[in-house]
Amino acid sequence: MSTSPIKHVAITGGTHGNELTGVHLLKHWRNNPEEICRDGLVTELHLANPKANGCNRRYLDQDLNRQFSWDDLSDHSLCGYEQNRAKSLNTLLGPKDAPRVDFIIDLHTTTANMGTTLVIKSDDALVVGMAFYIKQQMPEVTLFYEPEDRLSDNFLISLAKHHGLLVEVGPVPQGMLRWDVFDKTRQATRFGLDYLAAVRAGNQPELPASLPGFQFVEKLKLPENERGELTAMIHPDRQDTDYQPIQPGDPLFITLEGETLNYEGTETLYGAFINEAAYYDQHIGLSLMRKIDIPLPV
């Protein structure tokens, strides 16, 4: 595995202001810094969207975690609160074309029944290696592989030199804390830091050549009428079945009158972010995923 030296690591939380696990982990680690201190690493803690967190809202003007593409960061006509906040974070952690920070771990939660999911947005050996190592330590972890060019990627983690890893744990309602979600996020982050410290020290952990995971295919909207009003919801057989197979003809939605609407696709796929509350403003019911083997870059 080929990696360049790594030293500066940022842990970010509250990128979505009503996802409180990351917010309170930052507070915990500020009071207990020994948990995140590792030899050779300089670890920073950053509350990404403090105004949205203060209002207990996902965002004020725009979704902050969609504002970090190179084009958007360079466009000073974009002046909503989150668009400006992204530019400030780019100055603090980047700049994106020459980052100060080597790696970012961004902490998120979901209202969907997704357990501990690691979102891998890069094919960088350090990113994939960290995800593989965390899964070795926490076998229940699910890997979500969606690599993207760092400059065009619009997620916060793309500000770092090696990209970063997004930790997404659920289910937990927005604006609430659950101990199991809090503790799993805490464990995943600490194992991630262990991995980075080991790599920096030249003690690369032994990892498999590949691991099973999922790759995004498409988002499915909830059924609407001609006025854009919802006419159906997630079918009870589909609720809370994230990462389970959805076969052609399986129940998918149920109308307000109780009529079942079946999956009309021709390929067996898998659901994720099923009935995610954060996506209701767009009437998105779930994402469809394909099972894949994720390769470890060499």
Side-chain angles (χ1 to χ4, degrees):
M1 179 184 298
S2 173
T3 58
S4 58
I6 181 169
K7 182 176 182 180
H8 294 278
V9 181
I11 302 174
T12 53
T15 305
H16 297 133
N18 58 5
E19 296 178 2
L20 298 189
T21 294
V23 173
H24 286 270
L25 274 170
L26 296 181
K27 293 177 180 179
H28 171 74
W29 286 325
R30 287 192 181 103
N31 293 325
N32 301 273
E34 68 280 359
E35 284 194 16
I36 55 169
C37 288
R38 300 292 185 277
D39 289 343
L41 298 182
V42 177
T43 305
E44 309 170 7
L45 302 173
H46 297 285
L47 180 60
N49 197 338
K51 284 192 175 181
N53 176 239
C55 297
N56 196 26
R57 291 171 54 181
R58 182 175 174 87
Y59 54 83
L60 299 186
D61 295 327
Q62 299 89 19
D63 186 331
L64 178 59
N65 212 30
R66 303 296 187 276
Q67 308 306 316
F68 293 93
S69 73
W70 175 253
D71 288 345
D72 287 348
L73 290 171
S74 304
D75 187 348
H76 294 284
S77 69
L78 302 176
C79 55
Y81 170 71
E82 277 80 13
Q83 291 164 338
N84 282 330
R85 181 63 182 158
K87 293 176 176 65
S88 296
L89 288 166
N90 182 51
T91 300
L92 177 65
L93 303 174
K96 190 162 183 169
D97 58 340
R100 177 184 65 82
V101 169
D102 296 309
F103 202 97
I104 295 173
I105 302 173
D106 193 25
L107 308 181
H108 288 258
T109 58
T110 173
T111 65
N113 188 32
M114 291 170 56
T116 305
T117 295
L118 303 179
V119 181
I120 305 168
K121 295 278 287 178
S122 171
D123 57 6
D124 187 294
L126 199 66
V127 179
V128 181
M130 178 195 274
F132 279 24
Y133 179 78
I134 294 172
K135 184 167 177 61
Q136 281 186 327
Q137 312 308 312
M138 303 173 67
E140 74 276 14
V141 159
T142 299
L143 304 180
F144 176 3
Y145 187 60
E146 191 179 9
E148 190 171 350
D149 175 75
R150 194 176 65 80
L151 289 182
S152 60
D153 183 10
N154 58 7
F155 277 30
L156 189 157
I157 55 176
S158 68
L159 291 180
K161 180 178 179 181
H162 290 276
H163 231 111
L165 197 65
L166 192 150
V167 181
E168 181 106 44
V169 187
V172 61
Q174 296 172 335
M176 288 185 60
L177 289 168
R178 274 183 54 158
W179 169 254
D180 55 344
V181 172
F182 181 92
D183 193 48
K184 287 175 183 177
T185 307
R186 180 186 184 188
Q187 289 180 51
T189 305
R190 291 166 64 181
F191 285 132
L193 292 172
D194 290 345
Y195 177 77
L196 294 179
V199 171
R200 177 172 172 80
N203 301 320
Q204 172 67 54
E206 186 173 343
L207 299 171
S210 67
L211 280 175
F214 295 88
Q215 193 160 33
F216 174 77
V217 176
E218 64 174 319
K219 294 177 181 179
L220 291 186
K221 293 194 70 173
L222 295 162
E224 303 171 338
N225 61 22
E226 63 279 2
R227 296 184 298 276
E229 300 167 336
L230 290 179
T231 59
M233 62 197 83
I234 294 293
H235 193 279
D237 290 352
R238 188 57 48 212
Q239 182 65 46
D240 299 326
T241 62
D242 297 77
Y243 300 126
Q244 298 302 308
I246 303 174
Q247 299 178 348
D250 278 354
L252 194 59
F253 304 119
I254 187 166
T255 70
L256 304 184
E257 293 74 31
E259 177 189 357
T260 294
L261 305 177
N262 295 326
Y263 171 51
E264 296 180 350
T266 59
E267 177 186 2
T268 297
L269 295 174
Y270 298 78
F273 293 103
I274 296 175
N275 224 10
E276 168 60 56
Y279 299 153
Y280 257 65
D281 60 348
Q282 305 169 62
H283 288 184
I284 293 171
L286 72 159
S287 292
L288 293 179
M289 318 287 285
R290 183 175 289 118
K291 235 177 192 179
I292 62 167
D293 285 323
I294 303 171
L296 181 67
V298 294

